[in-house]
Amino acid sequence: MKFRNNFSVRGKHLFLVVVALAFTVLVLWAWEENPFLNSSQSVQAWYRTTYAGFIVGSTNSSVLRNTVKEYAEKIYSNSSTKEETVKDDANSEITSTDSTSTIISNRSKSNQNTCSYGNGGWVLDNSRPLYYSGFGCKQWLSAMWACRLTDRTDFSYEGYRWVPKDCDLPAFKRSAFLQRMRDKTIAFIGDSLGRQQFQSLMCMATSGEESPDVQNVGKEFGLVKAKGAIRPDGWAYRFSNTNTTILYYWSSSLSDLLPLNMSEPATDVAMHLDRPPAFLRKFLHLFDVLVLNTGHHWNRGKIKQNRWIMYKDGVRSELGNLKEVGIAKNFKVHSIVKWLDSQLPSHPRLKAFFRTMSPRHFSNGDWNNGGNCYNTIPLSKGSKVERNGSSDPVVENAVRGTQVKMLDITALSDIRDEAHKSNYSIKGSSSGSDCLHWCLPGIPDTWNEILFAQI
């Protein structure tokens, strides 16, 4: 009995020793595998406060310190691929892990509907332009906007990428766009800046290459050149492989325009501020994505030149508040957004956008009295945009509370004054500076990247 009691006591002691040894080994193994266990909370806190594009993958302490420093000094960072490699100050590489990429991807998807794409910064990207050559896309790109064909010699404006602050902006992919728009129609309706966005998208969707797959279907929408006209009222092209249609219709005021005397060539035109263009009313049911814009034709000179007479409720407007051009424009934008919002329940597949105004950059005068935009230095006005709200409050206020989305491009374009067509021309002579329209490839490509991210 005594022997058995001693054995029992020894067995208990041995068991406790084994447990203690196992616990010690476990602690030492955990420490060796993750020596930063004691600082993990501060790293996690830092990660939560950095911008979404930062990628964590290394556990080397010097790499972490250098990376924090580097990304604190940068504007913003962005990642749209599964694996991306960045370099810290010590030139050591940090490669994203699959789990980190999944987190970023999921966060990006969750923020697509809430992201403020208009806040962010321009960063140098030597791979730009990505989508088409400045010497190509002659079938869809107006020669006057193809600045590579002009006497301009500085093209540094092409080499910058827009990076939103709070979300990812993936690069536009032609194949992904066409698949997403399979059996669908995207329509741009607006002024010549809308035409630039349309031409940009045609070049991006074709890579600037002519193809028998792309067919002119303008006749289906009545977009044919009238006798004596300089150009048709718009264009429409269909990619037969995916049945994707991209069209543009000219409507600089987004108003319904009706000649007051059809028999008189120089008749005044009723400008119905409370009605959308007849083209939009007629073909709305065919559109899956719609982008509206207006703005630069709302001045007394253009209204007088076009012989527009403002109408409201079917009668000539004598209301003082509609005689003021700026207030009339405000009324028009709110009116068409309200109308479009009322139509969306009957068109559940339609995604409607109102693009904010593209900025002008005339200095020392205006377009008709010697104004110019000679600057060719990128980002001389700064590289970042951080705003609470849009730089186009008219559009922002109009879409608020509706299902119409705002395509907010004003502020990010405003700091790119060097990217206008300016006074460059193909023949080497110019009648003045164009500080309204953009060189292509150029800023409108970014508008389409943001549009693509939202559709």
Side-chain angles (χ1 to χ4, degrees):
M1 290 294 291
K2 184 176 182 179
F3 174 78
R4 293 176 64 182
N5 289 339
N6 289 339
F7 180 82
S8 178
V9 172
R10 288 182 179 180
K12 291 180 179 178
H13 289 170
L14 182 60
F15 175 77
L16 293 174
V17 170
V18 170
V19 170
L21 287 173
F23 180 79
T24 303
V25 170
L26 183 62
V27 171
L28 290 175
W29 175 82
W31 180 263
E32 183 178 358
E33 286 296 307
N34 190 0
F36 298 103
L37 204 58
N38 60 347
S39 62
S40 61
Q41 180 60 37
S42 61
V43 174
Q44 291 169 4
W46 165 78
Y47 179 80
R48 285 195 297 268
T49 58
T50 55
Y51 298 118
F54 182 72
I55 299 173
V56 178
S58 174
T59 56
N60 180 284
S61 60
S62 64
V63 170
L64 284 174
R65 285 194 299 270
N66 289 331
T67 306
V68 173
K69 177 182 177 182
E70 178 187 0
Y71 278 83
E73 293 173 347
K74 280 192 175 182
I75 303 170
Y76 306 110
S77 59
N78 185 36
S79 172
S80 60
T81 58
K82 263 197 169 182
E83 286 212 2
E84 176 176 312
T85 301
V86 294
K87 293 187 177 182
D88 68 348
D89 293 340
N91 292 324
S92 60
E93 293 188 349
I94 305 173
T95 305
S96 67
T97 61
D98 289 340
S99 60
T100 303
S101 297
T102 301
I103 292 172
I104 293 173
S105 177
N106 290 339
R107 196 189 73 74
S108 175
K109 291 178 181 178
S110 68
N111 284 345
Q112 289 303 310
N113 295 326
T114 59
C115 174
S116 175
Y117 288 96
N119 280 331
W122 289 100
V123 297
L124 185 63
D125 185 345
N126 292 327
S127 65
R128 310 283 285 196
L130 296 175
Y131 311 115
Y132 57 100
S133 164
F135 296 102
C137 202
K138 295 181 180 179
Q139 182 173 353
W140 300 286
L141 175 56
S142 297
M144 61 182 174
W145 295 330
C147 291
R148 285 278 181 173
L149 303 181
T150 70
D151 54 349
R152 181 167 184 157
T153 58
D154 185 284
F155 302 98
S156 56
Y157 65 88
E158 293 182 351
Y160 289 83
R161 173 170 55 93
W162 177 250
V163 181
K165 176 181 177 181
D166 296 318
C167 54
D168 294 334
L169 182 61
F172 177 96
K173 294 187 183 299
R174 174 181 179 273
S175 58
F177 169 77
L178 292 175
Q179 285 301 321
R180 190 173 300 177
M181 292 298 297
R182 177 177 289 275
D183 300 320
K184 295 180 180 180
T185 296
I186 180 170
F188 296 91
I189 298 180
D191 57 24
S192 57
L193 277 304
R195 180 153 62 104
Q196 281 213 297
Q197 189 173 1
F198 159 76
Q199 292 189 3
S200 164
L201 185 60
M202 283 301 303
C203 292
M204 294 167 73
T206 62
S207 298
E209 302 294 333
E210 296 184 20
S211 169
D213 172 49
V214 184
Q215 304 168 353
N216 187 335
V217 294
K219 288 184 179 180
E220 295 182 16
F221 299 90
L223 301 176
V224 294
K225 182 179 176 182
K227 184 178 180 180
I230 299 176
R231 62 177 70 92
D233 289 333
W235 296 265
Y237 295 95
R238 181 167 297 138
F239 295 72
S240 58
N241 287 343
T242 58
N243 192 33
T244 300
T245 304
I246 304 176
L247 72 82
Y248 163 77
Y249 177 76
W250 166 268
S251 179
S252 59
S253 69
L254 297 181
S255 299
D256 195 21
L257 302 176
L258 295 174
L260 292 176
N261 187 348
M262 293 293 294
S263 62
E264 182 182 346
T267 182
D268 289 339
V269 177
M271 180 186 187
H272 292 277
L273 298 175
D274 51 354
R275 301 180 192 171
F279 180 89
L280 179 57
R281 298 197 307 269
K282 181 177 181 179
F283 294 106
L284 181 67
H285 67 286
L286 298 179
F287 302 156
D288 299 274
V289 178
L290 173 64
V291 182
L292 301 177
N293 92 283
T294 189
H296 291 292
H297 284 252
W298 290 88
N299 61 72
R300 295 187 183 279
K302 288 288 187 180
I303 290 176
K304 183 178 180 180
Q305 178 184 348
N306 291 319
R307 305 182 71 91
W308 288 341
I309 307 297
M310 295 182 189
Y311 273 66
K312 180 179 177 293
D313 296 326
V315 297
R316 183 166 179 165
S317 174
E318 298 296 341
L319 299 177
N321 64 337
L322 289 183
K323 287 186 177 181
E324 297 297 328
V325 175
I327 297 177
K329 174 198 167 227
N330 193 338
F331 176 86
K332 172 72 257 184
V333 172
H334 280 74
S335 171
I336 197 168
V337 168
K338 182 179 179 180
W339 173 84
L340 184 56
D341 187 52
S342 72
Q343 301 299 307
L344 291 179
S346 302
H347 303 84
R349 75 174 191 275
L350 175 61
K351 295 183 178 180
F353 297 85
F354 205 114
R355 180 176 61 69
T356 61
M357 186 177 290
S358 175
R360 301 158 19 117
H361 290 99
F362 288 98
S363 298
N364 303 315
D366 211 331
W367 65 273
N368 57 351
N369 58 8
N372 62 73
C373 46
Y374 293 150
N375 176 48
T376 59
I377 302 174
L379 307 180
S380 59
K381 299 177 65 174
S383 62
K384 293 198 301 182
V385 173
E386 293 182 287
R387 293 182 56 88
N388 293 322
S390 173
S391 294
D392 188 339
V394 173
V395 173
E396 182 179 36
N397 291 333
V399 302
R400 183 177 292 117
T402 74
Q403 294 300 308
V404 180
K405 298 180 180 180
M406 177 174 62
L407 185 58
D408 191 13
I409 58 85
T410 303
L412 67 89
S413 305
D414 190 41
I415 53 178
R416 297 303 309 277
D417 61 307
E418 88 288 0
H420 286 293
K421 185 197 172 202
S422 189
N423 62 327
Y424 303 103
S425 68
I426 296 176
K427 296 181 180 180
S429 60
S430 175
S431 58
S433 286
D434 184 348
C435 306
L436 173 63
H437 299 102
W438 305 93
C439 290
L440 290 174
I443 304 304
D445 301 339
T446 296
W447 304 350
N448 284 322
E449 288 177 325
I450 296 174
L451 176 64
F452 177 59
Q454 296 184 76
I455 62 175

